[in-house]
Amino acid sequence: MQCPRCQSEEYSLTSACPDCGFSGNGRSLEHLSNLNFLLGEMAGWSLPATYRDPLRQRYHRQRRAIEVELGLRSPPPNELEALVLRLELSKRHCLREALLDWRQRGWLETAVVTPIQDEITAELAAISDQLEDAPPPPASLPETKHLSHRWEEQQYLLTTLARLREAGGINETAYDLAAAPIMQEIEKLEIRMGLR
């Protein structure tokens, strides 16, 4: 059996993993192994999606619960933690769109954008995974919270631009052109929030 933490082939249910030291309740580990097998088998089933998808979701939920029990995954976030994670998700989406825009305008080279896009993709997957069993988002946010979130997104873009300038990924002229609308938006948001 593969170690559920480090994927080592040397793992045995009866002892700790020789590579990472992981050990867990044998019954839970067996349940996890069975769920992994079942989910792998389901990938090849030719059932209509209306039957297959609810089963897949159910077994994925069970697997996540077992992973939490074994310490392989963090427990689902509470409402406040989920709100913070959703803001982080939103910031990454804004940055992804901005990078495409900056690239199209010729302010950034593809060689600079590609590794950042790859990093964003990995971060989006990790955050989405954490939000899998989170409480649903509120139906609507108060205007002050919405403005605050927009402000956080713009600050994130500006910070990323500053890091790119420091690393030599963007020249001074391109930085000024990209940063100007962001700073204008930040100023407008601060006025609306009563901070200016």
Side-chain angles (χ1 to χ4, degrees):
M1 175 182 180
Q2 279 190 330
C3 172
R5 180 181 289 152
C6 72
Q7 313 314 312
S8 169
E9 296 292 341
E10 306 298 317
Y11 184 69
S12 166
L13 283 175
T14 57
S15 60
C17 175
D19 292 340
C20 70
F22 173 80
S23 65
N25 176 292
R27 190 174 186 158
S28 297
L29 287 166
E30 192 172 344
H31 190 191
L32 178 64
S33 177
N34 291 340
L35 287 167
N36 285 335
F37 173 79
L38 187 55
L39 286 164
E41 287 293 305
M42 286 178 75
W45 291 359
S46 58
L47 283 174
T50 52
Y51 300 115
R52 188 186 58 238
D53 290 349
L55 280 174
R56 184 181 290 136
Q57 289 170 2
R58 177 180 171 194
Y59 294 134
H60 272 294
R61 244 189 331 270
Q62 286 182 20
R63 181 170 69 182
R64 289 191 301 271
I66 292 290
E67 288 171 344
V68 168
E69 181 185 320
L70 291 169
L72 298 169
R73 162 191 290 272
S74 300
N78 61 32
E79 281 185 45
L80 183 59
E81 292 165 338
L83 189 64
V84 170
L85 286 169
R86 287 188 182 99
L87 175 59
E88 291 302 315
L89 204 62
S90 175
K91 285 161 48 173
R92 294 331 183 270
H93 282 296
C94 283
L95 179 56
R96 176 183 272 175
E97 289 174 23
L99 286 168
L100 290 174
D101 180 48
W102 299 336
R103 173 65 192 105
Q104 287 172 347
R105 292 174 187 261
W107 297 340
L108 289 176
E109 296 296 322
T110 303
V112 173
V113 173
T114 302
I116 300 171
Q117 291 281 29
D118 292 344
E119 186 180 321
I120 291 170
T121 300
E123 290 172 347
L124 288 172
I127 295 169
S128 297
D129 188 52
Q130 287 179 278
L131 286 168
E132 198 82 49
D133 295 318
S140 64
L141 290 173
E143 186 181 7
T144 53
K145 195 60 115 172
H146 177 70
L147 293 172
S148 170
H149 282 197
R150 284 283 304 143
W151 183 87
E152 293 263 0
E153 291 166 358
Q154 298 304 305
Q155 288 289 345
Y156 185 70
L157 294 179
L158 200 56
T159 302
T160 302
L161 267 177
R163 277 190 292 135
L164 284 169
R165 181 178 61 181
E166 288 169 15
I170 189 169
N171 66 43
E172 204 61 42
T173 304
Y175 172 83
D176 291 341
L177 289 168
I182 296 171
M183 289 191 280
Q184 288 172 355
E185 181 66 17
I186 288 171
E187 185 178 339
K188 286 179 191 173
L189 289 165
E190 289 177 350
I191 290 168
R192 288 181 66 189
M193 290 189 292
L195 300 175
R196 286 184 185 231

